[in-house]
């Protein structure tokens, strides 16, 4: 039984950790948005941008260190990772901010409900980008390719 669990863990470790840290990133995003938009009374779009910046920094650190185990510290590799990571996140960040503008400011939907739903879409898109584009070279190197 233990070997079966260990085998499953090895097979799905990366995805499990991404879900855990993706959930934590989502929580960071929602909490920062809520604090900005409600107690601080900052408008929807600036609150979304602030939440995006904080959550992307958090996500980069957790993805690099614990999800994809990118231990490479060479300046060129770090620069490529950071630029790729933030570029991919910028695309999903634009989706997030644009959808918040549309659904909350134009259509009048509940901001917190929209924020939670958008984060589900964003976490899936970000996983695909991280796994297949950003940390790809590191994995190939570790797998001996």
């Amino acid at each position: 039984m233990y070997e079966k669990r260990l085998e499953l863990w090895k097979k799905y470790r990366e995805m499990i950790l991404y879900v855990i840290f993706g959930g934590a990133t989502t929580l960071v995003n929602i909490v920062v948005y809520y604090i900005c938009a409600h107690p601080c009374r900052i408008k929807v779009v600036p609150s979304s941008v602030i939440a995006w910046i904080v959550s992307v920094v958090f996500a980069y650190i957790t993805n690099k260190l614990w999800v994809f185990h990118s231990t490479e510290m060479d300046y060129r590799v770090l620069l490529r990772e950071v630029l790729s990571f933030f570029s991919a996140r910028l695309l999903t960040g634009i989706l997030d901010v644009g959808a918040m503008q549309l659904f909350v400011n134009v259509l009048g939907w509940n901001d917190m409900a929209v924020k939670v739903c958008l984060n589900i879409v964003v976490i899936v898109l970000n996983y695909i980008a991280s796994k297949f584009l950003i940390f790809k070279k590191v994995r190939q190197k570790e797998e001996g390719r």
Side-chain angles (χ1 to χ4, degrees):
M1 185 71 168
Y2 175 75
E3 284 108 22
K4 180 78 169 163
R5 287 183 190 164
L6 185 59
E7 184 181 318
L8 286 172
W9 169 251
K10 286 180 181 178
K11 184 175 181 180
Y12 296 109
R13 179 196 60 79
E14 183 180 280
M15 190 175 293
I16 292 167
L17 289 173
Y18 188 83
V19 168
I20 291 168
F21 287 112
T25 299
T26 299
L27 186 61
V28 166
N29 186 282
I30 291 169
V31 168
V32 171
Y33 171 81
Y34 178 82
I35 291 168
C36 290
H38 293 272
C40 295
R41 298 187 190 275
I42 299 171
K43 293 184 184 229
V44 169
V45 172
S47 293
S48 293
V49 170
I50 293 166
W52 177 82
I53 291 168
V54 173
S55 62
V56 169
V57 170
F58 176 83
Y60 175 74
I61 293 166
T62 58
N63 276 260
K64 178 173 180 54
L65 299 178
W66 294 298
V67 177
F68 297 106
H69 294 280
S70 175
T71 57
E72 194 67 54
M73 293 297 172
D74 178 70
Y75 171 75
R76 291 175 302 235
V77 174
L78 282 174
L79 184 61
R80 183 193 60 78
E81 279 181 0
V82 167
L83 290 176
S84 298
F85 194 87
F86 278 82
S87 296
R89 293 311 193 268
L90 182 59
L91 293 175
T92 56
I94 290 169
L95 169 72
D96 179 38
V97 171
M100 288 295 288
Q101 171 67 22
L102 172 66
F103 291 114
V104 176
N105 289 340
V106 175
L107 299 176
W109 293 10
N110 179 280
D111 66 327
M112 293 309 294
V114 172
K115 191 69 171 168
V116 169
C117 291
L118 281 172
N119 269 277
I120 294 167
V121 172
V122 165
I123 200 170
V124 171
L125 294 174
N126 287 340
Y127 176 76
I128 292 167
S130 290
K131 181 165 179 68
F132 296 108
L133 301 174
I134 299 160
F135 297 108
K136 180 180 180 180
K137 290 182 181 178
V138 173
R139 276 194 330 278
Q140 287 177 341
K141 183 178 176 183
E142 288 173 357
E143 293 171 356
R145 292 183 188 165

